[in-house]
Amino acid sequence: MAIYSPFSTSQLMPQEEKLEVARHKSELFIGVPQEVAYQERRICLTPDAVASLTSHGHRVLIEAGAGESASFSDKEYSDAGAEITNDTKKVFSCPIILKVEPPTLSEIEMMNPKTIIISAIQLKTQKKEYFEALSKKKITALAFEFLKDEDGSYPAVKSLSEIAGIASIHIAAELMINQNIGKGLLFGNITGVRPTEVVILGAGTVAEYAARTALGLGASVKVFDNSITRLRRLQNLLQHRIFTSTIQDKILLKSLMRCDVAIGATRGKNRAPVLVTETMVEQMKKGAVIVDVSIDTGGCFETSEITTHERPTFIKNNVIHYCVPNIPSRYSKTASMSISNIITPLLLHVADDGGLESAIRCNRGLKNGIYSYHGLLTNKAIADWFNLEYRDINLIVF
């Protein structure tokens, strides 16, 4: 009886082992367009980062004027080896696009199919059409917010949180001395004068750097958070015994009534929890300052309303409110250098591995940053949020 097989005789014979072909370094062609989003002053690459990339044989095309808001001139980029162009479409035709803000629908329209885009995603401001546009062009997109480090932390989020934390104290200090709205107080601790009292809501990275800065200026700091573990971690990181408490209305109100500055630095699953009611704000001292860093996810003070860099403050219940959602953009050069320090080694790593396809097979942190792979949505949280079809990237890339 004949046995039929779908394989030929030669295919059934023992085969020689085939080893993986060595990966060859790839050359990257990176486009950096000018940011068009309102109040966005940062840029992803500094001239030093461009010099590092071009010295490794990569091409960088920068739109004219892209770095001016961050105090980087076109000449600095040109001297570093970048190509400068006024043609926006030419920049968006590059195989790799670097942006701070996520691309707009019109910018996605200018991209070639299968482009790689590295930018923030800012999920709270996105719409379903954005992901549909990425899918249509089969674009691979990575988000700063999702990139992981070797230790499992999120370097871009942490870095910008550090800036926001330090900045919140500097901003409060400015507002306290402003003769038009402030009380003419010096932020700090002067002999014979009661030190500035600061209340911080939250015990994450923003809170840590806000507390560190306030303590450095001699202020008295109180931190509130509902996690004892986070509060203990903060105490250990600061190496300073400060007042900490879980969020109990009576204790929180008492502290708010005495404080000169209140910093909102909490995060929630979908939005920041409202921890301070308008009634509590009404009982704060006249001329006290609120800096709500968590305003980008809704704010943790009931009286908070989004403001701009041009008009950053408003007064409500005799309390000064600063509620600008994009604080790091105020310090555009520092923030640009911070982002560049994260992105540049990543790009060099991708090139050494022979391109993004090879790099994500070896680098789990980089793979975690991908939310659209050739147009397929690979982030479950985004898929659930927008009711879109989801594909597990680990089943596509392995």
Side-chain angles (χ1 to χ4, degrees):
M1 182 179 173
I3 298 172
Y4 296 100
S5 169
F7 302 103
S8 65
T9 306
S10 61
Q11 286 174 320
L12 290 168
M13 294 296 288
Q15 304 289 316
E16 68 273 14
E17 183 184 5
K18 292 182 180 178
L19 299 174
E20 182 184 4
V21 177
R23 288 179 300 226
H24 296 287
K25 185 177 176 181
S26 67
E27 291 182 7
L28 305 179
F29 187 13
I30 302 156
V32 184
Q34 189 162 8
E35 297 293 336
V36 294
Y38 180 59
Q39 295 189 333
E40 186 50 74
R41 300 166 184 166
R42 295 168 291 178
I43 186 168
C44 284
L45 294 178
T46 63
D48 287 344
V50 169
S52 178
L53 288 164
T54 53
S55 68
H56 282 80
H58 308 302
R59 285 179 68 190
V60 181
L61 182 65
I62 294 180
E63 188 174 355
E68 282 180 6
S69 296
S71 302
F72 297 121
S73 67
D74 289 344
K75 187 179 185 305
E76 286 178 275
Y77 282 110
S78 182
D79 291 345
E83 301 165 45
I84 310 295
T85 181
N86 285 304
D87 190 345
T88 306
K89 285 188 177 179
K90 189 178 178 184
V91 177
F92 278 104
S93 68
C94 294
I96 300 174
I97 306 292
L98 287 185
K99 279 185 99 281
V100 177
E101 295 281 325
T104 62
L105 295 178
S106 58
E107 287 174 336
I108 293 172
E109 199 62 40
M110 286 189 271
M111 294 180 197
N112 292 326
K114 298 190 177 180
T115 296
I116 296 167
I117 170 80
I118 305 174
S119 72
I121 186 174
Q122 296 177 349
L123 197 53
K124 300 291 186 294
T125 63
Q126 287 304 349
K127 294 181 179 176
K128 197 172 184 177
E129 292 77 21
Y130 171 77
F131 301 101
E132 289 169 347
L134 293 178
S135 179
K136 188 179 175 184
K137 284 280 182 91
K138 299 189 184 305
I139 287 170
T140 297
L142 289 86
F144 296 149
E145 297 98 315
F146 300 154
L147 291 169
K148 274 189 178 180
D149 231 331
E150 295 89 351
D151 62 353
S153 65
Y154 296 87
V157 174
K158 193 164 186 176
S159 187
L160 295 174
S161 294
E162 288 174 10
I163 294 171
I166 295 168
S168 66
I169 298 299
H170 290 309
I171 289 162
E174 284 176 40
L175 296 174
M176 284 170 67
I177 62 169
N178 190 313
Q179 291 302 315
N180 297 323
I181 54 176
K183 294 193 293 184
L185 286 173
L186 176 67
F187 193 114
N189 189 343
I190 305 302
T191 307
V193 180
R194 184 182 65 83
T196 306
E197 290 200 23
V198 179
V199 167
I200 300 173
L201 302 173
T205 305
V206 173
E208 178 196 337
Y209 281 82
R212 201 184 290 277
T213 309
L215 289 168
L217 291 168
S220 170
V221 176
K222 295 179 179 180
V223 179
F224 291 82
D225 192 278
N226 269 335
S227 169
I228 289 292
T229 304
R230 281 199 295 268
L231 290 170
R232 187 178 291 115
R233 171 190 160 275
L234 183 64
Q235 291 267 31
N236 293 334
L237 287 169
L238 294 173
Q239 295 182 338
H240 196 288
R241 304 311 292 177
I242 58 171
F243 176 98
T244 55
S245 172
T246 51
I247 299 165
Q248 299 170 42
D249 287 353
K250 190 176 178 181
I251 301 171
L252 178 57
L253 176 59
K254 191 176 178 182
S255 298
L256 287 169
M257 287 169 69
R258 294 187 59 176
C259 80
D260 302 294
V261 175
I263 308 289
T266 58
R267 285 285 182 271
K269 190 174 181 182
N270 294 324
R271 65 148 287 155
V274 177
L275 302 174
V276 180
T277 63
E278 185 163 0
T279 309
M280 288 173 155
V281 174
E282 285 170 359
Q283 296 180 67
M284 289 176 71
K285 285 193 287 193
K286 183 181 178 181
V289 175
I290 286 174
V291 180
D292 200 343
V293 182
S294 56
I295 190 67
D296 57 345
T297 55
C300 58
F301 292 83
E302 193 179 6
T303 49
S304 292
E305 296 170 16
I306 289 179
T307 59
T308 65
H309 285 297
E310 284 70 35
R311 299 188 68 181
T313 61
F314 65 90
I315 298 174
K316 200 167 188 177
N317 302 317
N318 293 317
V319 176
I320 303 160
H321 291 65
Y322 182 99
C323 305
V324 178
N326 189 5
I327 289 176
S329 187
R330 175 185 166 108
Y331 306 90
S332 53
K333 189 163 189 173
T334 300
S336 297
M337 291 164 74
S338 182
I339 294 169
S340 185
N341 287 341
I342 295 162
I343 297 300
T344 309
L346 197 71
L347 291 169
L348 293 171
H349 171 69
V350 166
D352 288 342
D353 273 358
L356 186 68
E357 301 286 336
S358 300
I360 59 177
R361 285 179 168 84
C362 317
N363 190 323
R364 292 179 67 182
L366 185 64
K367 188 193 282 187
N368 196 73
I370 294 176
Y371 62 91
S372 173
Y373 183 74
H374 294 293
L376 300 173
L377 189 60
T378 58
N379 186 290
K380 195 172 189 309
I382 296 173
D384 291 344
W385 185 274
F386 293 99
N387 194 26
L388 292 165
E389 190 179 349
Y390 159 75
R391 304 287 181 86
D392 189 340
I393 194 166
N394 295 305
L395 300 178
I396 305 169
V397 180
F398 49 85

